[in-house]
């Protein structure tokens, strides 16, 4: 028998052909997906309000109405209702204006009623009645800090 000559094993090395195939598959994927992306103006969305109303009125997103222990109602720094005033006409006028401005600018107005712990429930009901009369329905309650 004849002995076989042993040939040295060739090192496989780095194969470039499979790498080129992978790059082409990835490139094909991105080219197909690029056509599926919608341009923003094609989505037909409308943003709330417009630039003119945003410049005209600088509305707060949230208004806090404080009710003190004595029955004083303060939607801003100035009191809007004396302790004996059950109709709260000043508060009604302010809330009606804010509600109309929020409606014109197509934004939501959030009213937070923050009563002191010892405030009378009747006074809170007076404020809620005033808000209902002004057609404001987005109302929340907050607890005042007693520190």
């Amino acid at each position: 028998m004849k002995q076989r000559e042993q040939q040295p094993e060739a090192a496989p090395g780095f194969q470039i052909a499979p790498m080129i195939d992978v790059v082409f598959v990835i490139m094909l994927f991105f080219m197909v997906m690029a056509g599926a992306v919608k341009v923003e103006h094609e989505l037909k969305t409308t943003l709330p309000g417009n630039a003119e109303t945003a410049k005209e009125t600088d509305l707060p997103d949230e208004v806090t109405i404080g009710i003190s222990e004595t029955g004083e109602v303060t939607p801003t720094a100035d009191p809007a209702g004396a302790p004996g005033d059950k109709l709260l006409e000043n508060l009604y006028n302010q809330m009606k204006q804010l509600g109309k401005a929020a409606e014109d600018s197509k934004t939501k107005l959030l009213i937070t009623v923050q009563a002191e712990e010892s405030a009378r429930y009747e006074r809170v009901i007076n404020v809620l009645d005033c808000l209902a009369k002004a057609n404001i329905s987005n109302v929340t309650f907050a607890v005042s800090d007693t520190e």
Side-chain angles (χ1 to χ4, degrees):
M1 279 193 112
K2 203 175 182 191
Q3 245 184 1
R4 228 192 308 166
E5 294 179 23
Q6 288 198 352
Q7 295 179 359
E9 284 188 30
F14 182 73
Q15 299 294 319
I16 193 76
M19 299 309 278
I20 292 174
D21 291 342
V22 168
V23 169
F24 281 131
V25 168
I26 291 173
M27 189 171 68
L28 180 67
F29 172 76
F30 284 118
M31 287 172 56
V32 168
M33 291 308 294
V37 175
K38 288 200 178 266
V39 182
E40 187 174 334
H41 64 81
E42 291 178 0
L43 295 177
K44 296 182 182 168
T45 57
T46 57
L47 297 175
N50 55 23
E52 293 139 14
T53 57
K55 291 177 186 174
E56 290 174 8
T57 59
D58 189 22
L59 288 175
D61 291 337
E62 181 178 351
V63 175
T64 302
I65 299 174
I67 303 173
S68 71
E69 172 182 337
T70 61
E72 191 174 79
V73 178
T74 54
T76 56
D78 301 325
D85 183 16
K86 291 189 179 194
L87 295 177
L88 299 169
E89 287 297 324
N90 289 340
L91 179 66
Y92 169 75
N93 292 334
Q94 288 179 10
M95 293 299 114
K96 192 70 173 172
Q97 287 175 353
L98 283 174
K100 178 149 177 40
E103 185 180 316
D104 290 344
S105 65
K106 297 179 183 169
T107 59
K108 262 194 164 179
L109 179 63
L110 174 65
I111 304 294
T112 303
V113 177
Q114 184 173 8
E116 290 183 4
E117 189 174 329
S118 57
R120 296 179 51 108
Y121 293 126
E122 177 186 12
R123 198 59 174 162
V124 176
I125 298 300
N126 290 342
V127 170
L128 291 177
D129 287 342
C130 179
L131 293 173
K133 194 166 79 171
N135 292 328
I136 295 177
S137 59
N138 198 11
V139 180
T140 62
F141 291 94
V143 178
S144 61
D145 295 332
T146 56
E147 292 181 20

